């Protein structure tokens, strides 16, 4: 272990103090610990480990602080369909959320023939097709909280044709 040493060079085993919502699993062969949190829990937690030598002596670690953050989530964004020469908007907050209520920021992939602007303050995406252009494009959005990110489904943008006046 790089956190505990025994001056006699004895092989040590480890235990932990169990905390609410956090579960450490220690492998005393590999000296590796895996830590998991309850599925619907987020926040700050602590864990403490104890090293034991074969002769009954032991030492405790400091409390180790763990911050558990949930990844932002998306619901499926449906096909977005509108007519050429019309501006279309999508409110991303209608399709994204953060379990622990962190503020989200967004990015979006770019596509040909459609100018995309994003206002992270309002969470509104504005889609402006080129003049007289119609067709199908595909984009993805990414939501970020302070620590994690998640990508939306691939969203179909379908700009439909309209009969233009003769010139």
């Amino acid at each position: 272990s790089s956190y505990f040493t025994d001056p006699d060079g004895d092989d040590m085993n480890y235990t932990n103090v169990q905390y609410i919502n956090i579960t450490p699993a220690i492998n005393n062969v590999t000296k590796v610990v895996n830590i998991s949190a309850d599925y619907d829990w987020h926040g700050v937690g602590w864990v403490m480990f104890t090293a034991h030598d074969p002769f009954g002596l032991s030492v405790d670690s400091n409390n180790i602080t763990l911050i558990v953050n949930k990844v932002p989530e998306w619901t499926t964004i449906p096909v977005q369909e509108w007519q050429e020469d019309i501006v279309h908007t999508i409110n991303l907050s209608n399709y994204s959320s953060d379990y622990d209520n962190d503020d989200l920021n967004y990015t979006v992939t770019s596509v040909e023939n459609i100018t995309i602007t994003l206002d992270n303050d309002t969470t509104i995406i504005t889609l402006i097709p080129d003049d007289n252009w119609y067709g199908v494009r595909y984009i993805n959005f990414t939501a970020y909280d302070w620590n994690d990110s998640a990508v939306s489904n691939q969203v179909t943008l379908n700009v439909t044709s309209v009969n233009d006046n003769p010139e």
Side-chain angles (χ1 to χ4, degrees):
S1 163
S2 55
Y3 299 100
F4 293 100
T5 58
D6 185 290
D8 304 316
D10 295 326
D11 190 33
M12 295 183 286
N13 282 317
Y14 304 92
T15 58
N16 63 274
V17 175
Q18 183 67 42
Y19 288 88
I20 298 171
N21 302 312
I22 297 174
T23 306
I26 300 171
N27 183 324
N28 274 303
V29 174
T30 64
K31 311 300 185 205
V32 172
V33 62
N34 289 308
I35 300 173
S36 61
D38 293 349
Y39 177 75
D40 9 348
W41 182 79
H42 62 89
V44 178
W46 296 267
V47 66
M48 186 170 61
F49 297 97
T50 303
H52 307 270
D53 76 6
F55 302 101
L57 298 176
S58 64
V59 64
D60 293 331
S61 71
N62 295 332
N63 274 339
I64 299 167
T65 302
L66 304 169
I67 299 172
V68 177
N69 180 58
K70 296 293 186 181
V71 174
E73 294 182 349
W74 288 96
T75 58
T76 301
I77 301 173
V79 171
Q80 301 293 303
E81 184 172 293
W82 72 101
Q83 293 180 341
E84 67 177 89
D85 302 324
I86 301 289
V87 174
H88 183 70
T89 61
I90 305 170
N91 187 338
L92 295 180
S93 66
N94 291 337
Y95 303 102
S96 61
S97 62
D98 189 79
Y99 185 84
D100 27 26
N101 294 317
D102 294 328
D103 290 334
L104 295 178
N105 284 302
Y106 302 92
T107 59
V108 59
T109 55
S110 60
V111 295
E112 291 183 29
N113 306 109
I114 301 175
T115 300
I116 303 171
T117 59
L118 163 62
D119 184 335
N120 267 305
D121 292 331
T122 63
T123 71
I124 301 290
I125 294 284
T126 303
L127 306 160
I128 305 169
D130 293 345
D131 287 341
N132 294 316
W133 179 85
Y134 58 91
V136 176
R137 296 290 184 259
Y138 304 94
I139 61 173
N140 291 93
F141 303 103
T142 303
Y144 297 88
D145 66 11
W146 65 275
N147 190 58
D148 294 303
S149 64
V151 178
S152 71
N153 60 296
Q154 185 177 61
V155 180
T156 302
L157 306 177
N158 184 16
V159 179
T160 58
S161 175
V162 295
N163 186 21
D164 294 321
N165 290 329
E167 296 180 9

